[in-house]
Amino acid sequence: MRVQKGIDLSRFILEEERRYPLASGTLSRILISIENATKIISSHIRKAGLVDVLGKVGRINVQGEEVQKLDELANNWLVEHLASTGDFFAVASEEMEKAFFPANGSDGKYVISLDPLDGSSNVDVNISVGTIFSIHKRISDDDASFLQEGRKQVAAGYVIYGSSTMLVYSTGNGVNGFTLDPAVGSFILSHPNIKLPERGKIYAFNESNYKRWSNGIRRYVDTVKEKGYTLRYVASMIADVHRTLLKGGIFAYPADNVNKNGKIRILYEANPLGFLIEQAGGIASNGNSSILDVKPESLHQRTPIFMGSKADMEELLAILKEG
Ligand code: AHM
Ligand code: MG
């Protein structure tokens, strides 16, 4: 397909579908539903501070984290919007302990994993947050459809609510980024065929965990500092990975002696963002293998994660191998 800068997202999705003569259009409809739901979320985030959407709900979620009002709202808007289409069989979300199987989706061919509002602890201080999505084919009538390797994703992407709102996604044919033009209300192709630089100059680790890391991780961070790399860490994975996609370098959330499996969740954080990083020519790993080859065992499973430019990742993985 000829990638045409300036084309709007809905048309782009339909043009992509035409590459597959047997496509039923369901995946396209799901992507367009995500597009519409995230426009609603974006519009509410843009007004946060003026309307009563900031602050905490006063409840702890399945992750043991305090639920922000916007977490709950974003989750409800996405789930309701997607459920109304009848196009998907089930949805798993960071904000829901169990998967949700909508009544009208019993014939649905796809399942979706969502982080409705990644980085939500940043929303009160006006820092970028985002929505992450991962779509797999349905292979069963239960949670097993969610517990497939990341490499089997049929589509994955995110919407970042930053200085502008951008939707970045891939169906396995490269990565394209669209910027929301608020005057028109459309996502417009602004970043066609995103490719990570072969090497970057940025490392994004929460270095306050230094003392808790393994020797290998510490040695890697010492090495990049000696080389003159700069530290950028937003603590919104979506913002750190978005910057990494465009500028290169490494984002990581390693295991440490408190968070034995790291902090990032496989289904709706590591897999979709890892898929985009690999589609853009980078590497995404749990330290031993590509994150996309790991078969998850539960919906909210955590994993150590390292992702970024190929040359930087190869150096990191070599150091980790030495132990
Ligand atoms: P969230 O999805 O509940 O916002 O949590 C995940 C976030 C990631 O976006 C970010 O990379 C990480 O937690 C930051 O953790 P820390 O504050 O420990 O550095
Ligand atoms: Mg998250």
Side-chain angles (χ1 to χ4, degrees):
M1 173 185 159
R2 200 164 56 87
V3 174
Q4 203 186 319
K5 215 168 170 179
I7 183 176
D8 70 81
L9 176 61
S10 310
R11 216 178 98 208
F12 185 92
I13 291 170
L14 295 174
E15 297 266 336
E16 262 211 327
E17 182 193 310
R18 282 170 52 188
R19 292 163 58 130
Y20 305 96
L22 297 179
S24 67
T26 313
L27 182 61
S28 302
R29 284 202 301 275
I30 289 178
L31 290 169
I32 290 169
S33 307
I34 293 173
E35 172 190 354
N36 290 333
T38 55
K39 279 183 198 166
I40 296 171
I41 297 173
S42 177
S43 128
H44 282 81
I45 287 177
R46 298 282 169 233
K47 286 183 287 206
L50 296 173
V51 291
D52 183 28
V53 291
L54 292 181
K56 300 179 174 63
V57 172
R59 186 166 55 76
I60 303 291
N61 69 8
V62 57
Q63 322 284 341
E65 296 159 354
E66 282 204 272
V67 180
Q68 307 281 329
K69 280 187 200 166
L70 266 169
D71 279 325
E72 200 162 79
L73 288 169
N75 186 65
N76 295 347
W77 286 319
L78 276 161
V79 172
E80 277 166 26
H81 216 87
L82 287 164
S84 68
T85 65
D87 279 331
F88 73 95
F89 181 63
V91 61
S93 160
E94 181 185 317
E95 297 304 326
M96 304 189 305
E97 186 180 354
K98 294 190 173 142
F100 169 63
F101 298 81
N104 60 353
S106 54
D107 294 330
K109 287 195 295 188
Y110 296 99
V111 298
I112 307 183
S113 306
L114 295 170
D115 183 348
L117 205 61
D118 180 57
S120 58
S121 61
N122 283 321
V123 78
D124 284 7
V125 287
N126 219 337
I127 287 173
S128 303
V129 291
T131 297
I132 311 175
F133 61 92
S134 158
I135 304 177
H136 274 100
K137 279 217 166 100
R138 168 190 178 187
I139 54 162
S140 70
D141 288 346
D142 56 15
D143 282 359
S145 293
F146 292 106
L147 305 179
Q148 302 183 67
E149 292 84 352
R151 204 165 293 291
K152 294 185 180 153
Q153 289 169 104
V154 292
Y158 63 83
V159 179
I160 179 166
Y161 313 105
S163 42
S164 59
T165 295
M166 268 188 79
L167 187 150
V168 178
Y169 88 109
S170 173
T171 53
N173 296 303
V175 181
N176 290 288
F178 300 78
T179 302
L180 182 63
D181 180 340
V184 192
S186 297
F187 280 104
I188 307 293
L189 181 60
S190 51
H191 296 62
N193 199 18
I194 295 172
K195 290 286 171 214
L196 261 101
E198 174 76 13
R199 177 182 288 284
K201 285 188 243 145
I202 298 172
Y203 69 106
F205 290 58
N206 182 345
E207 214 172 334
S208 67
N209 294 329
Y210 187 91
K211 285 194 172 155
R212 301 189 202 153
W213 288 336
S214 67
N215 290 336
I217 310 280
R218 288 190 221 177
R219 232 170 35 253
Y220 177 74
V221 167
D222 294 344
T223 310
V224 290
K225 280 156 84 167
E226 267 162 36
K227 279 192 193 158
Y229 278 41
T230 190
L231 169 64
R232 293 283 181 273
Y233 188 73
V234 183
S236 248
M237 182 179 184
I238 197 117
D240 284 312
V241 171
H242 183 66
R243 184 199 54 245
T244 305
L245 262 177
L246 299 182
K247 295 201 163 175
I250 285 202
F251 165 79
Y253 208 109
D256 59 51
N257 62 17
V258 174
N259 304 301
K260 305 271 185 216
N261 295 314
K263 180 171 181 189
I264 299 305
R265 277 60 53 110
I266 299 186
L267 254 58
Y268 38 81
E269 293 175 324
N271 267 348
L273 299 178
F275 187 75
L276 297 178
I277 290 278
E278 293 211 351
Q279 279 288 318
I283 294 177
S285 170
N286 64 3
N288 294 312
S289 66
S290 166
I291 188 67
L292 301 181
D293 292 325
V294 173
K295 190 166 168 6
E297 289 168 4
S298 60
L299 296 185
H300 301 291
Q301 188 177 334
R302 294 175 192 261
T303 179
I305 193 73
F306 308 88
M307 52 176 77
S309 294
K310 192 163 173 287
D312 290 309
M313 281 295 296
E314 282 168 355
E315 272 166 26
L316 166 79
L317 294 172
I319 291 181
L320 295 185
K321 218 170 172 182
E322 288 164 14

